[in-house]
Amino acid sequence: MRDIFTGTRWFYTMMFITAVLFTFSIRSLIYHREAARITKLQGHDFAPFLVESAIMHDYARQVAEGKTIGGRDARLGGMENIPVADQMLLGMEYFLGWSYRLKTRLAGKPVFTAAQTSCEDNPDFSAFIRVQIRAWGSLIGGLIFLWLVLLRVPWPWAAAASVLYAVSPAAIARATGQDLVREGFAMPFIIGCLVLVAWIMRRPSPFKYVLLGFCVMAAFSFWDAPQMFFLLWSGLEIFRLLLGGTVSVKRRNIWLVIYVGAVLAAVLNSYQRNHGLIASPTVMTAMPLLLLLMFTAGKMNLRRYWLLAGTALLGLVLLWKVLPGYGVNYSHFGSLIWAKLKFLNVKPLNPAALDFDARILWTPAMHSADLPMTFFYYP
């Protein structure tokens, strides 16, 4: 980042490191407090994972032991004939498993007493991956600082935003390492996209575009929720253009690279390929419409521009509706969103008021924040 950090690059580097370490320390403090509480209740030093996290833990452990994952798993009752890579987004498991292999190669394999292995075969592995995923997620604190600095926000305010993120209950809740969650692994790539876009807008280079494309592809490859983030972002860009916003070559190239990254994830990633990411509203409708508007901006009057946008949107939506794959895989989530909108985010007391998909998904883990929760948990 020599172009922006000239003369002060070491200061910003140290601020980035400080932000990461501060974020990590807060999350570690919370984790150790909760782990001590569990130890006191159980009488021994063992903090179990939830079911979904335990599955991820097992696959990461297999990678650490040099085994292959992604194929069929006979232990998955009812789904034993479907390759694991088609059922879930694998990526975090490789990251954690390979990191532990490197750790044991450098430091050697630990030796345990019988008491230490009374609850799990390799407590060192569990402890290591909890630190690893906590450290990885803590990069977000530093990336937020860099993003705001690149947007020309004064560095004290950028530092304050980083601190606010580090202590936000919503940011801490699922990022302490108590459990493994895919968004914790994918979020640094998403925030990295914002950093790279701001950096490119300052001074573009082929390296930055390649890195942006990689971050987009990684975000889509390791979590499926980035669809919503990029759908909202591209939608805001579309409205900006329709309201008379200008298009620069840099901005157009940024979105071209983002689209290429999303398409590569849709084609190359087994899970996304089988779940129809290529036919999603984000990849099939919003991003193509945005690129069309960017390449035609300034070449017609506003009335024809709006007519082009409406016609293209209608055609792309119709194409999205007829293409197979996406709807059948995500209709259950659509039912949940529609139910929350219909009942104003208040779960009805009568279960019959919800269809089957909304009823089984509207559990505590899938509750949406109301206004009081938003003000308390998302400062």
Side-chain angles (χ1 to χ4, degrees):
M1 296 186 176
R2 190 184 302 267
D3 53 319
I4 181 173
F5 294 158
T6 301
T8 56
R9 59 181 177 178
W10 288 114
F11 171 76
Y12 286 113
T13 300
M14 293 307 299
M15 287 296 295
F16 170 81
I17 295 173
T18 301
V20 173
L21 291 177
F22 179 74
T23 305
F24 178 77
S25 66
I26 295 296
R27 294 177 177 184
S28 297
L29 178 68
I30 300 298
Y31 169 75
H32 289 298
R33 184 193 69 185
E34 296 304 311
R37 184 179 300 173
I38 294 172
T39 299
K40 183 178 180 180
L41 288 173
Q42 296 182 145
H44 51 78
D45 186 13
F46 174 65
F49 291 93
L50 295 176
V51 174
E52 186 177 2
S53 296
I55 295 173
M56 301 177 198
H57 174 281
D58 181 71
Y59 288 135
R61 180 184 56 81
Q62 290 185 51
V63 173
E65 294 173 354
K67 300 176 182 178
T68 58
I69 62 173
R72 293 177 175 84
D73 189 344
R75 300 172 300 171
L76 299 178
M79 304 185 74
E80 63 273 7
N81 294 321
I82 303 175
V84 174
D86 292 351
Q87 299 183 49
M88 60 181 68
L89 288 159
L90 300 174
M92 177 176 61
E93 294 82 356
Y94 290 108
F95 172 72
L96 297 175
W98 287 337
S99 297
Y100 187 74
R101 290 175 69 177
L102 176 62
K103 182 253 186 187
T104 55
R105 177 165 295 187
L106 295 175
K109 295 184 178 180
V111 178
F112 307 107
T113 64
Q116 289 174 317
T117 57
S118 60
C119 295
E120 55 181 325
D121 295 334
N122 190 344
D124 181 67
F125 174 72
S126 296
F128 174 82
I129 65 172
R130 279 180 159 133
V131 173
Q132 182 78 351
I133 199 64
R134 200 157 61 235
W136 172 257
S138 297
L139 289 173
I140 299 173
L143 290 172
I144 288 174
F145 172 78
L146 292 182
W147 176 46
L148 294 176
V149 167
L150 286 163
L151 292 176
R152 302 183 187 277
V153 174
W155 73 262
W157 288 106
S162 177
V163 170
L164 190 61
Y165 166 78
V167 300
S168 168
I172 294 172
R174 290 165 62 83
T176 62
Q178 291 170 257
D179 277 300
L180 303 177
V181 288
R182 300 205 182 278
E183 58 261 42
F185 183 60
M187 280 300 293
F189 291 108
I190 296 176
I191 306 301
C193 290
L194 297 177
V195 173
L196 286 163
V197 167
W199 194 12
I200 290 170
M201 292 299 292
R202 296 292 297 271
R203 182 175 296 177
S205 73
F207 169 73
K208 297 172 189 176
Y209 283 119
V210 171
L211 200 55
L212 173 61
F214 171 78
C215 284
V216 172
M217 185 173 67
F220 277 97
S221 297
F222 300 144
W223 191 28
D224 48 8
Q227 298 178 47
M228 293 182 286
F229 172 78
F230 285 99
L231 178 63
L232 176 62
W233 189 5
S234 55
L236 291 173
E237 278 289 302
I238 289 171
F239 278 116
R240 188 185 69 83
L241 292 178
L242 291 176
L243 293 175
T246 59
V247 179
S248 65
V249 174
K250 289 184 289 188
R251 190 181 292 269
R252 187 182 63 199
N253 289 344
I254 283 170
W255 277 101
L256 190 59
V257 169
I258 289 175
Y259 187 59
V260 169
V263 170
L264 285 175
V267 173
L268 299 179
N269 184 274
S270 182
Y271 175 92
Q272 297 290 23
R273 190 168 59 248
N274 283 277
H275 283 73
L277 175 62
I278 195 71
S280 67
T282 304
V283 178
M284 180 55 62
T285 305
M287 288 186 181
L289 177 59
L290 174 59
L291 288 172
L292 174 64
L293 294 178
M294 283 187 162
F295 277 96
T296 55
K299 298 182 179 179
M300 59 188 74
N301 60 42
L302 194 59
R303 182 174 175 276
R304 290 187 176 183
Y305 198 54
W306 275 78
L307 180 62
L308 172 66
T311 305
L313 178 61
L314 178 62
L316 290 169
V317 169
L318 290 175
L319 182 61
W320 165 61
K321 293 293 288 185
V322 300
L323 283 177
Y326 186 83
V328 69
N329 287 304
Y330 287 96
S331 60
H332 60 295
F333 193 67
S335 296
L336 175 63
I337 294 176
W338 172 247
K340 289 186 176 184
L341 293 173
K342 179 180 178 181
F343 294 102
L344 301 178
N345 199 29
V346 178
K347 186 177 182 180
L349 295 177
N350 182 9
L354 303 172
D355 63 19
F356 176 77
D357 289 333
R359 190 162 57 247
I360 63 170
L361 284 176
W362 203 336
T363 58
M366 295 292 285
H367 279 317
S368 298
D370 54 22
L371 285 178
M373 289 177 64
T374 300
F375 284 117
F376 180 79
Y377 290 109
Y378 301 86

